[in-house]
Amino acid sequence: MKKTSTRLADGRELIYYDQRDDSVRDAVDRRPLDRTVTTSEVRRDPLLGDAVAIASHRQGRTYHPPADECPLCPSQGDRLSEIPDSSYDVVVFENRFPSLAGDSGRCEVVCFTSDHDASFADLTEAQARLVLDAWTDRTSELSHLPSVEQVFCFENRGAEIGVTLGHPHGQIYAYPFTTPRTALMLRSLAAHREATGGENLFDAVLERELAGERVVLESEHWAAFVPWAAHWPYEVHLYPKRRVPDLLALDEAARTEFPQVYLELLRRFDRIFGEGEPPTPYIAAWHQAPFRLEEFEGVNRDDFALHLELFTVRRTSGKLKFLAGSESGMSVFINDVPPERAAERLREVAS
């Protein structure tokens, strides 16, 4: 992998990740852009104890542009985009309309491929490995920012999820706090260790799932399963079999095997609802340990287990799972698809 860092016309950082070591990335951003101005701030909810990012400048972000005006495609002739070069393998750049900025963290966009009409599932194993390497590198770089406590790499795919740009891409949020969902995991982790005299909860969950009926896919270094209490109609958790706290700690064997496993999962997701159905909308979310765990007594980073959660809001052909009263009002999910049946279906549609 070759990494080339440059700056866009408004001062934002842009990084090319190339498979070839002889790639030259010297194109200049020719757009007449003013410096990016953001109004992002993080406010704490005194009752729930969680955080809300207030980012009013995002009201003006790019919204469903036509394909020939996509800001994530390479620049061609007089058509100038966020990527100055006329081609690329993988690109990461600071979001022009970030939810988090400055002392409130940082937001980045990850373009998986220059092909506007592709999806992550269409990538080759070499391309998927390059994305993994980019995620890992950005986790490392962002972890050194003094305002950053947790790095979250994720992909939103499909208009049903709320995606406003059709080009295959994901995002990275660098939070200045431990996210509420991670905090819940850490508290459960600490409580389980105390109750069992030292057992790791993540290890116990993985062992139980591998012995059960909800395994979707298993390889030498990775395991994918539908969890016992799945929140979403089709939800898969992907774990490395050797517990590590973050992407940085994955060994080479797991990195090498990841593209094959992950691409197979994504392709199965597109086959869940049968031939002729539109691509399955999904969220793919990496869960990594925060970099500072002082507030969670007795738990350290090595106790956390890196894993990816992949899920869709589509519950059956032509029907979506909406977060209504119980989910949105009380955070109590109601799942219409039994996890055992979801796992069975995901095994049925194997390549």
Side-chain angles (χ1 to χ4, degrees):
M1 179 187 77
K2 182 180 180 182
K3 175 183 175 182
T4 307
S5 180
T6 184
R7 293 281 171 180
L8 296 173
D10 55 8
R12 288 175 294 130
E13 185 177 19
L14 179 142
I15 306 159
Y16 294 97
Y17 293 90
D18 287 291
Q19 296 185 54
R20 292 173 55 98
D21 290 335
D22 59 354
S23 298
V24 177
R25 299 298 184 185
D26 55 7
V28 176
D29 185 3
R30 295 180 283 128
R31 297 173 297 171
L33 297 180
D34 295 328
R35 285 271 174 179
T36 300
V37 177
T38 64
T39 57
S40 176
E41 66 171 306
V42 174
R43 298 183 181 180
R44 292 280 181 177
D45 185 317
L47 295 180
L48 298 179
D50 59 9
V52 177
I54 309 297
S56 59
H57 63 277
R58 284 175 54 79
Q59 286 282 39
R61 66 188 184 273
T62 308
Y63 187 80
H64 292 299
D68 60 359
E69 296 178 17
C70 174
L72 305 185
C73 288
S75 293
Q76 298 285 346
D78 293 331
R79 178 190 166 196
L80 306 179
S81 73
E82 290 279 65
I83 296 90
D85 215 325
S86 59
S87 66
Y88 64 83
D89 290 345
V90 173
V91 166
V92 177
F93 61 87
E94 289 184 75
N95 198 323
R96 191 177 178 187
F97 305 97
S99 302
L100 307 165
D103 292 340
S104 297
R106 175 160 157 152
C107 293
E108 299 182 340
V109 177
V110 184
C111 298
F112 303 138
T113 171
S114 60
D115 184 352
H116 180 85
D117 298 317
S119 68
F120 201 118
D122 296 323
L123 301 182
T124 65
E125 291 185 17
Q127 289 174 307
R129 170 59 190 264
L130 186 60
V131 175
L132 175 63
D133 290 342
W135 283 331
T136 305
D137 180 71
R138 296 315 301 153
T139 297
S140 175
E141 293 293 323
L142 293 169
S143 72
H144 291 101
L145 297 180
S147 64
V148 172
E149 186 165 326
Q150 186 174 5
V151 176
F152 176 47
C153 306
F154 65 100
E155 179 191 1
N156 297 328
R157 193 263 198 125
E160 299 93 330
I161 298 294
V163 174
T164 57
L165 297 176
H167 195 103
H169 73 287
Q171 300 180 66
I172 301 174
Y173 277 22
Y175 297 103
F177 50 79
T178 296
T179 61
R181 188 174 177 86
T182 303
L184 286 173
M185 292 183 195
L186 292 170
R187 292 188 185 102
S188 296
L189 183 64
H192 183 84
R193 184 169 68 179
E194 182 177 355
T196 60
E199 183 180 63
N200 183 280
L201 178 58
F202 287 108
D203 292 349
V205 167
L206 182 58
E207 181 180 358
R208 182 185 70 184
E209 293 292 358
L210 286 176
E213 59 182 316
R214 290 178 299 277
V215 175
V216 172
L217 179 63
E218 183 180 0
S219 65
E220 183 177 358
H221 301 286
W222 294 88
F225 57 87
V226 177
W228 161 257
H231 289 61
W232 300 94
Y234 291 90
E235 175 181 341
V236 174
H237 292 191
L238 176 63
Y239 278 68
K241 288 185 174 179
R242 182 178 70 88
R243 172 165 45 90
V244 295
D246 53 35
L247 290 166
L248 301 171
L250 284 175
D251 60 25
E252 183 57 32
R255 292 181 183 281
T256 299
E257 196 178 69
F258 170 78
Q260 177 184 356
V261 174
Y262 187 49
L263 290 171
E264 172 63 16
L265 282 179
L266 292 180
R267 290 162 185 166
R268 291 190 193 189
F269 255 60
D270 273 343
R271 293 194 290 266
I272 291 173
F273 303 104
E275 295 292 330
E277 288 289 323
T280 302
Y282 65 75
I283 292 175
W286 279 110
H287 291 265
Q288 306 192 79
F291 295 102
R292 289 171 290 280
L293 292 178
E294 291 86 351
E295 62 184 292
F296 301 97
E297 234 176 272
V299 174
N300 61 53
R301 295 194 78 246
D302 290 336
D303 294 322
F304 193 85
L306 167 77
H307 62 284
L308 182 141
E309 297 184 6
L310 173 68
F311 57 91
T312 180
V313 298
R314 187 178 292 164
R315 57 187 175 88
T316 189
S317 180
K319 296 179 181 178
L320 301 181
K321 164 65 179 176
F322 291 102
L323 299 189
S326 186
E327 293 89 353
S328 296
M330 296 302 287
S331 294
V332 178
F333 275 67
I334 301 168
N335 190 351
D336 300 317
V337 180
E340 294 73 22
R341 174 55 191 147
E344 181 182 24
R345 178 58 181 160
L346 286 161
R347 290 192 297 267
E348 290 173 350
V349 294
S351 297

